[in-house]
């Protein structure tokens, strides 16, 4: 029999699952604030991975992905151990805010400090009580407020292990993303733990296609790691009908002027240099400024707020060829997931 798994002083026997509430602090109304982790500890040996969401409190789409994962039959008999952390930033989640109450960004606060600010303490707790126990991690995000992201995985392509697992996820597109100081990915990497980031959809919104891509992607990674059987994973994560694009470089196209933005393009569109993507106008309609693509590529992110200032990020374009990006259109993604039996009873 496999040894029990220990988390924050609690012992979970092999073959069982348990929610562990790790104390953090007391909220101002005397409500305990805890970091809650669902531990699924398999009977058979295997890797330990974590799946986390809501490091930014308003990025709730990942919470729904984890909720659906926790209910799957495929996870009832796993090899290894899975830690599901649906809400890392409980303060931001309750307040529907990206940040902590002191306006600090949790994903710029790692590795944290047990005696530092609230963000620093939470980062320290998550990193040392949960992340440090794992071999690999998947961190679920959405675009920032008033933006929308095409489902994508961001990873440092120079990290061969992380890239291999990102490819196993089989997202519409993989985007090269260097490690940033203060981020979970950077601190985990320093501990020898590769972490990929799944980005999709909007803050404070659900997007069914983005949820389905996320659930299936996590299952595919677990299948790659032999944590779930190929038979159950194939039933759950239907064979894909598109290919994954890999972008080594991307850039934001910014507003040439301030005003009201009218867009002609959306996430998943392939654009050519010179294509008209939108117009920025003044409220009287007397001045119109064109927004044109400066390179060929795939739109992987857009602004959703029509009110823009000069220099605002409007369209995030991954530098790809049209053939490479052919499987990343919204139509190709929807075709794969619209009849997937994994989601028949998930709503």
């Amino acid at each position: 029999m496999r040894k029990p798994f220990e988390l924050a002083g609690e012992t979970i026997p092999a073959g069982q699952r348990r929610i562990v509430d790790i104390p953090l602090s007391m909220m101002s109304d005397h409500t305990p604030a805890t970091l809650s982790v669902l531990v699924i500890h398999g009977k058979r040996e295997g890797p330990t991975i974590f799946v986390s969401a809501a490091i930014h409190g308003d990025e709730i789409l990942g919470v729904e992905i984890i909720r659906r994962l926790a209910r799957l039959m495929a996870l009832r008999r796993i090899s290894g151990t899975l830690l599901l952390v649906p809400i890392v930033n409980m303060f931001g989640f309750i307040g529907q805010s990206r940040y902590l109450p002191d306006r600090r960004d949790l994903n710029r606060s790692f590795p944290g400090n047990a005696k530092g600010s609230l963000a620093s303490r939470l980062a320290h707790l998550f990193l040392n009580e949960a992340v440090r126990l794992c071999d690999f991690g998947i961190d679920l995000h959405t675009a920032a407020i008033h933006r929308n992201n095409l489902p994508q995985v961001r990873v440092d392509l120079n990290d061969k292990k992380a890239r291999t697992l990102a490819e196993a996820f089989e997202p519409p597109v993989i985007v090269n993303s260097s490690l940033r100081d203060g981020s979970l990915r950077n601190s985990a990497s320093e501990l020898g733990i590769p972490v990929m980031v799944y980005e999709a959809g909007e803050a404070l919104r659900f997007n069914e296609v983005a949820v389905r891509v996320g659930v299936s992607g996590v299952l595919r990674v677990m299948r790659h790691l032999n944590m779930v059987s190929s038979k159950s994973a194939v039933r759950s994560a239907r064979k894909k009908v598109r290919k994954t694009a890999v972008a080594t470089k991307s850039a934001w196209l910014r507003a040439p002027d301030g005003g009201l933005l009218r867009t002609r393009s959306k996430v998943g569109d392939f654009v050519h240099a010179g294509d008209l993507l939108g117009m920025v106008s003044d409220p009287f309609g007397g001045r119109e400024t064109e927004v044109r693509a400066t390179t060929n590529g795939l739109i992987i992110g857009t602004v959703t707020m029509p009110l823009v200032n000069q220099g605002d990020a409007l369209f995030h374009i991954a530098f790809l060829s049209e053939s490479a990006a052919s499987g990343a259109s919204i139509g190709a993604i929807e075709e794969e997931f619209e009849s997937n039996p994994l989601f028949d009873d998930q709503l």
Side-chain angles (χ1 to χ4, degrees):
M1 178 66 73
R2 192 177 179 214
K3 291 182 179 180
F5 186 80
E6 295 187 2
L7 176 66
E10 293 208 31
T11 301
I12 299 91
Q16 294 190 19
R17 60 170 61 193
R18 183 181 304 167
I19 296 175
V20 178
D21 295 318
I22 308 173
L24 172 64
S25 70
M26 193 70 71
M27 300 182 75
S28 57
D29 66 348
H30 199 65
T31 303
T34 62
L35 179 68
S36 298
V37 183
L38 173 59
V39 180
I40 304 176
H41 188 46
K43 290 183 177 180
R44 296 179 294 275
E45 294 293 336
T48 299
I49 72 171
F50 73 87
V51 183
S52 59
I55 276 186
H56 294 132
D58 60 355
E59 297 182 4
I60 65 173
L61 186 136
V63 182
E64 174 64 5
I65 291 173
I66 290 178
R67 184 193 71 81
R68 295 194 190 187
L69 283 169
R71 300 175 61 215
L72 292 179
M73 293 290 291
L75 300 190
R76 294 193 177 184
R77 299 172 65 182
I78 71 169
S79 298
T81 304
L82 176 64
L83 306 185
L84 297 177
V85 193
I87 304 167
V88 180
N89 179 1
M90 69 292 294
F91 295 94
F93 182 80
I94 292 170
Q96 301 177 23
S97 169
R98 178 182 180 89
Y99 305 108
L100 276 293
D102 60 1
R103 299 295 298 169
R104 282 183 168 87
D105 185 335
L106 181 57
N107 209 28
R108 296 295 179 267
S109 302
F110 288 91
N113 188 313
K115 296 183 179 180
S117 67
L118 180 59
S120 186
R121 292 178 188 224
L122 178 52
H124 181 271
L125 182 76
F126 179 44
L127 185 68
N128 289 281
E129 294 289 350
V131 175
R132 189 182 288 272
L133 305 178
C134 298
D135 302 301
F136 179 72
I138 303 174
D139 192 27
L140 307 175
H141 285 259
T142 73
I145 194 74
H146 303 317
R147 291 184 184 176
N148 182 33
N149 278 340
L150 183 77
Q152 61 196 261
V153 163
R154 297 183 185 178
V155 70
D156 182 356
L157 293 177
N158 293 319
D159 185 331
K160 292 183 179 179
K161 184 176 180 180
R163 177 169 183 163
T164 297
L165 294 172
E167 291 169 348
F169 193 103
E170 296 183 0
V173 61
I174 297 172
V175 181
N176 185 48
S177 179
S178 300
L179 299 176
R180 273 192 181 181
D181 289 344
S183 69
L184 170 62
R185 279 202 306 140
N186 186 65
S187 291
S189 178
E190 291 177 351
L191 296 173
I193 305 166
V195 174
M196 74 165 72
V197 169
Y198 174 63
E199 287 269 4
E202 304 175 60
L204 298 174
R205 298 286 185 274
F206 282 171
N207 178 303
E208 184 62 23
V209 170
V211 171
R212 295 184 178 202
V213 174
V215 173
S216 291
V218 173
L219 276 177
R220 286 177 172 135
V221 171
M222 294 183 69
R223 179 181 60 190
H224 174 81
L225 296 171
N226 296 316
M227 295 182 70
V228 294
S229 70
S230 295
K231 185 177 180 180
S232 65
V234 167
R235 282 200 307 266
S236 299
R238 177 184 167 194
K239 184 178 179 181
K240 70 172 183 175
V241 295
R242 53 172 177 76
K243 60 181 180 179
T244 296
V246 179
T248 58
K249 187 177 179 182
S250 65
W252 278 96
L253 185 61
R254 297 186 176 274
D257 207 346
L260 307 176
L261 174 68
R262 309 191 309 281
T263 60
R264 292 192 175 187
S265 300
K266 60 185 183 301
V267 292
D269 285 352
F270 187 86
V271 298
H272 299 86
D275 283 355
L276 181 64
L277 307 186
M279 301 284 291
V280 178
S281 307
D282 68 51
F284 301 102
R287 187 192 72 254
E288 301 229 330
T289 306
E290 295 180 340
V291 180
R292 292 188 177 273
T294 56
T295 183
N296 295 358
L298 177 72
I299 298 178
I300 59 173
T302 64
V303 67
T304 59
M305 169 65 78
L307 311 181
V308 300
N309 294 303
Q310 188 177 51
D312 281 357
L314 304 183
F315 299 95
H316 191 189
I317 300 177
F319 298 177
L320 293 165
S321 68
E322 190 165 7
S323 60
S326 60
S329 69
I330 292 297
I333 301 169
E334 289 177 342
E335 180 184 355
E336 177 179 356
F337 291 99
E338 63 184 0
S339 60
N340 191 325
L342 169 63
F343 302 101
D344 289 347
D345 62 348
Q346 288 289 297
L347 293 177

